[in-house]
Coordinates of all heavy atoms in Angstrom, one line a residue:
L8 N 21.1 36.0 15.0 CA 21.2 37.3 14.4 C 19.8 37.7 14.0 O 19.1 36.9 13.2 CB 22.2 37.4 13.2 CG 22.3 38.7 12.6 CD1 22.9 39.7 13.5 CD2 23.2 38.6 11.3
I9 N 19.3 38.8 14.5 CA 17.9 39.3 14.2 C 18.0 40.7 13.6 O 18.6 41.5 14.2 CB 17.0 39.2 15.4 CG1 16.9 37.7 15.9 CG2 15.7 39.8 15.2 CD1 16.1 37.6 17.2
R10 N 17.2 40.9 12.5 CA 17.1 42.3 12.0 C 15.7 42.8 12.4 O 14.7 42.2 12.0 CB 17.2 42.3 10.5 CG 17.2 43.7 9.9 CD 17.3 43.7 8.3 NE 18.3 43.0 7.8 CZ 19.6 43.5 7.6 NH1 19.8 44.7 7.8 NH2 20.5 42.7 7.0
A11 N 15.7 43.9 13.2 CA 14.5 44.5 13.6 C 13.8 45.2 12.4 O 14.4 45.4 11.4 CB 14.7 45.4 14.7
A12 N 12.5 45.6 12.6 CA 11.8 46.3 11.6 C 12.5 47.6 11.2 O 12.4 48.0 10.0 CB 10.4 46.6 12.1
D13 N 13.2 48.2 12.1 CA 13.9 49.5 11.8 C 15.2 49.2 11.1 O 16.0 50.2 10.9 CB 14.0 50.4 13.0 CG 14.9 49.8 14.1 OD1 15.4 48.7 13.9 OD2 15.1 50.5 15.1
G14 N 15.6 48.0 10.9 CA 16.9 47.6 10.3 C 18.0 47.4 11.3 O 19.1 46.9 10.9
T15 N 17.7 47.6 12.5 CA 18.8 47.4 13.5 C 19.1 45.9 13.7 O 18.1 45.1 13.7 CB 18.3 47.9 14.9 OG1 18.0 49.3 14.8 CG2 19.4 47.8 16.0
L16 N 20.3 45.5 13.8 CA 20.7 44.1 14.0 C 21.0 43.9 15.4 O 21.7 44.6 16.1 CB 21.9 43.8 13.1 CG 21.7 43.9 11.6 CD1 23.1 43.8 10.9 CD2 20.8 42.8 11.1
H17 N 20.5 42.7 15.9 CA 20.8 42.2 17.3 C 21.3 40.8 17.2 O 20.7 40.0 16.4 CB 19.5 42.3 18.1 CG 18.8 43.6 18.1 ND1 19.2 44.6 18.9 CD2 17.8 44.1 17.4 CE1 18.4 45.6 18.7 NE2 17.5 45.3 17.8
A18 N 22.3 40.5 18.0 CA 22.8 39.1 18.0 C 22.9 38.6 19.4 O 23.3 39.3 20.3 CB 24.2 39.1 17.3
F19 N 22.6 37.3 19.5 CA 22.6 36.7 20.8 C 23.2 35.3 20.7 O 23.0 34.6 19.7 CB 21.2 36.6 21.4 CG 20.4 37.9 21.5 CD1 19.5 38.3 20.5 CD2 20.7 38.8 22.5 CE1 18.9 39.5 20.6 CE2 20.1 40.0 22.6 CZ 19.2 40.3 21.6
N20 N 23.7 34.8 21.8 CA 24.0 33.4 21.9 C 22.7 32.7 21.9 O 21.8 33.0 22.7 CB 24.8 33.2 23.3 CG 25.2 31.8 23.5 OD1 24.6 30.9 22.9 ND2 26.2 31.6 24.3
A21 N 22.6 31.7 21.1 CA 21.3 30.9 21.0 C 21.1 29.9 22.0 O 20.3 29.0 21.9 CB 21.2 30.3 19.6
T22 N 21.9 29.9 23.1 CA 21.8 28.9 24.2 C 20.9 29.5 25.3 O 21.2 30.5 25.9 CB 23.2 28.6 24.7 OG1 24.0 28.2 23.7 CG2 23.1 27.5 25.8
C23 N 19.8 28.8 25.5 CA 18.9 29.2 26.6 C 19.6 29.2 28.0 O 20.4 28.3 28.3 CB 17.7 28.2 26.6 SG 16.4 28.7 27.9
T24 N 19.2 30.2 28.8 CA 19.9 30.3 30.1 C 19.2 29.4 31.1 O 19.6 29.5 32.3 CB 19.8 31.8 30.5 OG1 18.5 32.3 30.6 CG2 20.7 32.6 29.6
H25 N 18.2 28.6 30.7 CA 17.7 27.7 31.7 C 18.5 26.4 31.7 O 19.3 26.2 32.6 CB 16.2 27.4 31.3 CG 15.5 26.5 32.2 ND1 14.7 25.4 31.8 CD2 15.5 26.4 33.6 CE1 14.2 24.8 32.8 NE2 14.7 25.3 33.9
L26 N 18.3 25.6 30.7 CA 19.1 24.3 30.7 C 19.8 24.1 29.4 O 20.0 22.9 28.9 CB 18.2 23.1 31.0 CG 17.6 23.1 32.4 CD1 16.6 21.9 32.6 CD2 18.7 23.0 33.5
N27 N 20.2 25.2 28.7 CA 21.0 25.2 27.6 C 20.5 24.6 26.3 O 21.3 24.2 25.4 CB 22.4 24.5 27.9 CG 23.1 25.2 29.0 OD1 23.1 26.4 29.2 ND2 23.8 24.4 29.9
C28 N 19.2 24.5 26.1 CA 18.6 24.2 24.8 C 18.9 25.3 23.8 O 19.2 26.4 24.2 CB 17.1 24.0 24.9 SG 16.7 22.4 25.8
T29 N 18.8 25.0 22.5 CA 18.9 26.1 21.5 C 17.6 26.8 21.3 O 16.6 26.2 21.1 CB 19.5 25.4 20.2 OG1 20.7 24.7 20.5 CG2 19.7 26.4 19.1
V30 N 17.7 28.1 21.4 CA 16.5 28.9 21.1 C 16.3 29.2 19.7 O 17.2 29.0 18.9 CB 16.6 30.3 21.9 CG1 16.7 30.0 23.4 CG2 17.8 31.1 21.5
Q31 N 15.1 29.7 19.3 CA 14.8 30.0 17.9 C 13.9 31.2 17.9 O 13.3 31.6 18.9 CB 14.1 28.8 17.3 CG 12.8 28.4 18.0 CD 12.3 27.1 17.5 OE1 11.7 27.0 16.4 NE2 12.5 26.0 18.3
Y32 N 13.8 31.8 16.7 CA 13.0 33.0 16.5 C 11.5 32.5 16.1 O 11.4 31.7 15.3 CB 13.5 33.9 15.4 CG 12.6 35.1 15.1 CD1 12.5 36.1 16.1 CD2 11.9 35.2 14.0 CE1 11.7 37.2 15.9 CE2 11.1 36.3 13.8 CZ 11.0 37.3 14.7 OH 10.2 38.4 14.5
R33 N 10.5 33.1 16.8 CA 9.1 32.8 16.5 C 8.5 34.0 15.9 O 8.2 35.0 16.6 CB 8.4 32.4 17.8 CG 8.7 31.0 18.3 CD 7.9 29.9 17.6 NE 6.5 30.1 17.5 CZ 5.7 29.4 18.2 NH1 6.1 28.4 19.1 NH2 4.4 29.6 18.2
S34 N 8.3 34.0 14.6 CA 7.8 35.2 13.9 C 6.4 35.5 14.3 O 6.0 36.6 14.3 CB 7.9 35.1 12.4 OG 7.2 33.9 12.0
D35 N 5.6 34.5 14.7 CA 4.2 34.7 15.1 C 4.1 35.5 16.4 O 3.2 36.2 16.6 CB 3.4 33.4 15.1 CG 4.1 32.3 15.9 OD1 5.3 32.4 16.2 OD2 3.4 31.4 16.3
W36 N 5.1 35.3 17.2 CA 5.2 36.0 18.5 C 6.1 37.2 18.5 O 6.1 38.0 19.4 CB 5.5 35.1 19.7 CG 4.6 34.0 20.0 CD1 3.3 33.9 19.7 CD2 5.0 32.8 20.6 NE1 2.8 32.7 20.1 CE2 3.8 32.0 20.7 CE3 6.1 32.3 21.2 CZ2 3.8 30.8 21.3 CZ3 6.1 31.0 21.8 CH2 4.9 30.3 21.8
E37 N 7.0 37.3 17.5 CA 8.1 38.2 17.4 C 8.9 38.2 18.7 O 9.3 39.2 19.3 CB 7.5 39.6 17.1 CG 6.8 39.7 15.8 CD 6.4 41.2 15.5 OE1 6.4 42.0 16.3 OE2 6.0 41.4 14.3
K38 N 9.2 36.9 19.1 CA 10.0 36.7 20.3 C 11.0 35.6 19.9 O 10.8 34.8 19.1 CB 9.1 36.2 21.5 CG 8.1 37.2 21.9 CD 8.8 38.4 22.6 CE 7.7 39.4 23.0 NZ 8.3 40.6 23.6
I39 N 12.1 35.5 20.7 CA 13.0 34.4 20.8 C 12.4 33.4 21.7 O 12.0 33.8 22.8 CB 14.4 34.8 21.1 CG1 14.9 35.9 20.2 CG2 15.3 33.6 21.2 CD1 16.2 36.6 20.6
W40 N 12.3 32.1 21.3 CA 11.6 31.1 22.1 C 12.4 29.9 22.3 O 13.2 29.5 21.4 CB 10.3 30.8 21.4 CG 9.5 29.7 21.9 CD1 8.8 29.7 23.1 CD2 9.2 28.5 21.3 NE1 8.1 28.6 23.3 CE2 8.3 27.8 22.2 CE3 9.5 27.9 20.1 CZ2 7.8 26.5 21.9 CZ3 9.1 26.6 19.8 CH2 8.2 26.0 20.7
C41 N 12.3 29.3 23.4 CA 12.9 28.0 23.7 C 11.8 26.9 23.8 O 10.9 27.0 24.6 CB 13.7 28.1 25.0 SG 14.5 26.5 25.4
A42 N 12.0 26.0 22.9 CA 11.0 24.9 22.7 C 11.0 23.9 23.9 O 10.1 23.2 24.2 CB 11.1 24.1 21.4
C43 N 12.1 23.9 24.7 CA 12.3 22.9 25.7 C 11.3 23.1 26.8 O 10.6 22.2 27.3 CB 13.7 22.8 26.2 SG 14.8 22.1 25.1
H44 N 11.2 24.3 27.4 CA 10.3 24.6 28.5 C 9.6 25.9 28.3 O 9.0 26.4 29.3 CB 11.1 24.6 29.8 CG 12.0 23.4 30.0 ND1 13.3 23.4 29.8 CD2 11.6 22.1 30.3 CE1 13.8 22.2 30.0 NE2 12.8 21.4 30.3
G45 N 9.6 26.5 27.2 CA 8.8 27.6 26.8 C 9.3 29.0 27.2 O 8.4 30.0 27.2
S46 N 10.5 29.2 27.5 CA 11.0 30.5 27.9 C 10.9 31.5 26.6 O 11.1 31.0 25.5 CB 12.4 30.5 28.4 OG 12.4 29.9 29.7
R47 N 10.6 32.7 26.9 CA 10.6 33.7 25.8 C 11.5 34.8 26.2 O 11.6 35.2 27.3 CB 9.2 34.3 25.6 CG 8.2 33.3 25.2 CD 6.8 33.9 24.9 NE 5.7 33.0 24.8 CZ 4.5 33.2 24.3 NH1 4.3 34.4 23.9 NH2 3.7 32.3 24.2
F48 N 12.1 35.4 25.1 CA 13.1 36.4 25.2 C 12.8 37.6 24.3 O 12.4 37.4 23.2 CB 14.5 35.9 25.0 CG 14.9 34.7 25.8 CD1 14.6 33.4 25.4 CD2 15.6 34.9 27.0 CE1 15.0 32.3 26.2 CE2 16.0 33.8 27.8 CZ 15.7 32.5 27.4
D49 N 13.2 38.8 24.7 CA 13.0 40.0 23.9 C 14.0 39.9 22.7 O 15.1 39.6 22.9 CB 13.2 41.2 24.7 CG 13.0 42.5 24.0 OD1 11.8 42.9 23.9 OD2 14.0 43.0 23.5
T50 N 13.5 40.3 21.6 CA 14.4 40.2 20.4 C 15.4 41.4 20.3 O 16.4 41.3 19.6 CB 13.5 40.2 19.1 OG1 12.7 41.4 19.1 CG2 12.7 39.0 19.0
A51 N 15.1 42.5 21.0 CA 16.1 43.6 21.0 C 17.1 43.5 22.0 O 18.2 44.0 21.8 CB 15.3 44.9 21.0
T52 N 16.7 43.0 23.2 CA 17.6 43.0 24.4 C 18.0 41.6 24.8 O 19.0 41.5 25.5 CB 17.0 43.7 25.5 OG1 15.9 43.0 26.0 CG2 16.5 45.1 25.2
G53 N 17.3 40.6 24.4 CA 17.6 39.3 24.9 C 17.0 39.0 26.3 O 17.3 37.9 26.9
A54 N 16.3 40.0 26.9 CA 15.8 39.9 28.2 C 14.8 38.7 28.3 O 14.0 38.5 27.4 CB 15.1 41.1 28.6
N55 N 15.0 37.9 29.4 CA 14.0 36.8 29.7 C 12.7 37.4 30.1 O 12.7 38.2 31.1 CB 14.6 35.9 30.7 CG 15.2 36.6 31.9 OD1 15.8 37.6 31.8 ND2 14.9 36.1 33.1
E56 N 11.6 37.1 29.4 CA 10.3 37.7 29.7 C 9.4 36.8 30.4 O 8.5 37.2 31.1 CB 9.7 38.3 28.4 CG 10.6 39.4 27.8 CD 9.9 39.9 26.6 OE1 9.2 39.2 25.8 OE2 10.2 41.1 26.3
S57 N 9.5 35.5 30.1 CA 8.6 34.5 30.7 C 9.2 33.1 30.6 O 10.1 32.9 29.8 CB 7.2 34.5 30.0 OG 7.3 34.1 28.7
G58 N 8.7 32.2 31.4 CA 9.2 30.9 31.4 C 10.3 30.7 32.5 O 10.6 31.7 33.2
P59 N 11.0 29.6 32.6 CA 11.9 29.3 33.6 C 13.3 29.9 33.4 O 14.1 29.8 34.4 CB 12.0 27.8 33.7 CG 11.7 27.4 32.3 CD 10.7 28.4 31.8
A60 N 13.6 30.5 32.3 CA 15.0 31.0 32.1 C 15.3 32.1 33.1 O 14.5 33.1 33.2 CB 15.1 31.6 30.7
P61 N 16.4 31.9 33.9 CA 16.7 32.9 35.0 C 17.4 34.1 34.5 O 17.5 35.1 35.3 CB 17.5 32.0 35.9 CG 18.3 31.1 34.9 CD 17.3 30.8 33.9
R62 N 17.9 34.2 33.3 CA 18.8 35.3 32.9 C 18.5 35.6 31.4 O 18.0 34.8 30.7 CB 20.3 35.0 33.1 CG 20.7 34.8 34.5 CD 22.2 34.4 34.5 NE 22.6 33.3 33.7 CZ 22.4 32.0 34.0 NH1 21.8 31.7 35.1 NH2 22.7 31.0 33.2
P63 N 18.9 36.9 31.0 CA 18.8 37.2 29.6 C 19.7 36.3 28.8 O 20.7 35.8 29.3 CB 19.2 38.6 29.5 CG 19.1 39.1 30.9 CD 19.3 38.0 31.8
L64 N 19.4 36.3 27.4 CA 20.4 35.6 26.5 C 21.7 36.5 26.5 O 21.6 37.8 26.6 CB 19.9 35.6 25.1 CG 18.6 34.7 24.9 CD1 18.1 34.8 23.5 CD2 19.0 33.2 25.3
Q65 N 22.8 35.9 26.3 CA 24.1 36.6 26.2 C 24.0 37.4 24.9 O 23.8 36.8 23.8 CB 25.3 35.7 26.2 CG 26.6 36.4 26.1 CD 27.7 35.4 26.0 OE1 27.6 34.2 25.8 NE2 28.9 36.0 26.1
S66 N 24.2 38.7 24.9 CA 24.2 39.5 23.7 C 25.6 39.6 23.1 O 26.6 39.6 23.8 CB 23.6 40.9 23.9 OG 24.4 41.7 24.6
W67 N 25.6 39.6 21.8 CA 26.9 39.8 21.1 C 26.9 41.1 20.3 O 25.9 41.6 19.9 CB 27.1 38.5 20.1 CG 27.4 37.3 20.9 CD1 27.7 37.1 22.2 CD2 27.4 36.0 20.3 NE1 27.8 35.8 22.5 CE2 27.7 35.1 21.4 CE3 27.2 35.4 19.1 CZ2 27.8 33.7 21.2 CZ3 27.3 34.1 18.9 CH2 27.6 33.2 19.9
K68 N 28.1 41.5 20.0 CA 28.3 42.8 19.3 C 28.1 42.6 17.8 O 28.7 41.7 17.3 CB 29.7 43.3 19.6 CG 30.0 44.7 19.1 CD 31.4 45.1 19.5 CE 31.8 46.4 18.9 NZ 33.2 46.7 19.3
V69 N 27.4 43.6 17.2 CA 27.2 43.5 15.7 C 27.8 44.7 15.1 O 27.5 45.8 15.6 CB 25.7 43.4 15.4 CG1 25.5 43.4 13.9 CG2 25.1 42.2 16.1
E70 N 28.6 44.6 14.1 CA 29.2 45.7 13.3 C 28.9 45.4 11.9 O 29.0 44.3 11.4 CB 30.6 45.8 13.6 CG 30.9 46.2 15.1 CD 32.4 46.2 15.3 OE1 33.1 45.2 15.3 OE2 32.9 47.3 15.6
V71 N 28.6 46.5 11.1 CA 28.4 46.3 9.7 C 29.5 47.2 9.0 O 29.6 48.4 9.3 CB 27.0 46.8 9.3 CG1 26.8 46.7 7.8 CG2 25.9 46.0 10.0
S72 N 30.2 46.6 8.1 CA 31.3 47.3 7.4 C 30.7 48.2 6.3 O 29.5 48.1 6.0 CB 32.3 46.4 6.8 OG 31.7 45.8 5.6
E73 N 31.5 49.1 5.7 CA 31.1 49.9 4.6 C 30.6 49.1 3.4 O 29.8 49.6 2.6 CB 32.2 50.9 4.2 CG 32.5 51.9 5.3 CD 33.6 52.8 4.8 OE1 34.0 52.8 3.7 OE2 34.1 53.6 5.7
K74 N 31.1 47.9 3.3 CA 30.7 47.0 2.2 C 29.4 46.2 2.5 O 28.9 45.5 1.7 CB 31.8 46.0 1.9 CG 33.1 46.6 1.4 CD 34.1 45.5 1.2 CE 35.4 46.1 0.6 NZ 36.4 45.0 0.5
G75 N 28.9 46.4 3.8 CA 27.7 45.7 4.1 C 28.0 44.3 4.8 O 27.0 43.6 5.0
E76 N 29.2 44.1 5.0 CA 29.5 42.8 5.7 C 29.2 42.9 7.2 O 29.4 43.9 7.8 CB 31.0 42.5 5.5 CG 31.5 42.4 4.1 CD 33.0 42.4 4.0 OE1 33.6 43.4 4.6 OE2 33.6 41.5 3.4
I77 N 28.6 41.8 7.7 CA 28.1 41.8 9.1 C 29.1 41.0 9.9 O 29.4 39.9 9.5 CB 26.7 41.2 9.2 CG1 25.8 42.1 8.4 CG2 26.3 41.1 10.7 CD1 24.4 41.4 8.2
F78 N 29.6 41.6 11.0 CA 30.5 40.9 11.9 C 29.9 40.8 13.2 O 29.4 41.8 13.8 CB 31.8 41.7 12.0 CG 32.6 41.8 10.7 CD1 32.4 42.9 9.8 CD2 33.5 40.8 10.4 CE1 33.1 43.0 8.7 CE2 34.2 40.9 9.2 CZ 34.0 42.0 8.3
V79 N 29.8 39.6 13.7 CA 29.3 39.4 15.1 C 30.4 38.8 16.0 O 31.1 37.9 15.6 CB 28.1 38.3 15.0 CG1 27.6 38.0 16.4 CG2 27.0 38.8 14.2
T80 N 30.6 39.5 17.1 CA 31.6 39.1 18.0 C 31.1 39.0 19.4 O 30.1 39.7 19.7 CB 32.9 40.0 18.0 OG1 32.4 41.3 18.2 CG2 33.6 40.0 16.6
R81 N 31.7 38.2 20.3 CA 31.3 38.2 21.7 C 31.7 39.6 22.3 O 32.8 40.0 22.1 CB 32.0 37.1 22.4 CG 31.6 35.8 21.9 CD 32.2 34.7 22.7 NE 31.8 33.4 22.1 CZ 31.9 32.2 22.7 NH1 32.3 32.2 23.9 NH2 31.5 31.2 22.1
A82 N 30.7 40.2 22.9 CA 31.0 41.5 23.5 C 31.9 41.4 24.7 O 32.0 40.4 25.3 CB 29.6 42.1 23.9
Ligands
LIG8 FE1 15.1 26.7 27.6 FE2 14.3 25.2 29.7 S1 16.1 25.0 28.4 S2 13.3 26.9 28.8

């Protein structure tokens, strides 16, 4: 789950689409990154931008209730 600078929330499956390593957020690059083979993904769309990952990260649906509770579900 990532909160963009404009407050928008984005959620993705943290499993890399290359060989299933767990991805992580790199604040220095402002990208989602896979340490196994260096794939990088866009933080707003999950698009694969570089490295061997063949597909975008699976995005999940984010909803915020009136109480501010955050719900993430598989889209
Ligand atoms: Fe993520 Fe290879 S498993 S780049």
Side-chain angles (χ1 to χ4, degrees):
L8 180 65
I9 295 174
R10 184 185 305 273
D13 67 358
T15 305
L16 296 169
H17 305 279
F19 304 100
N20 183 335
T22 304
C23 181
T24 58
H25 180 223
L26 294 175
N27 301 326
C28 287
T29 301
V30 298
Q31 59 192 282
Y32 179 68
R33 285 280 304 255
S34 59
D35 52 341
W36 296 337
E37 297 183 349
K38 298 290 177 186
I39 300 168
W40 174 67
C41 180
C43 289
H44 309 103
S46 289
R47 294 187 196 192
F48 302 89
D49 182 84
T50 56
T52 66
N55 47 318
E56 296 183 331
S57 65
R62 296 179 304 283
L64 296 174
Q65 179 185 14
S66 71
W67 290 350
K68 183 178 178 182
V69 179
E70 296 174 294
V71 181
S72 75
E73 292 180 9
K74 295 179 180 177
E76 300 166 309
I77 299 169
F78 297 91
V79 176
T80 55
R81 293 183 186 201

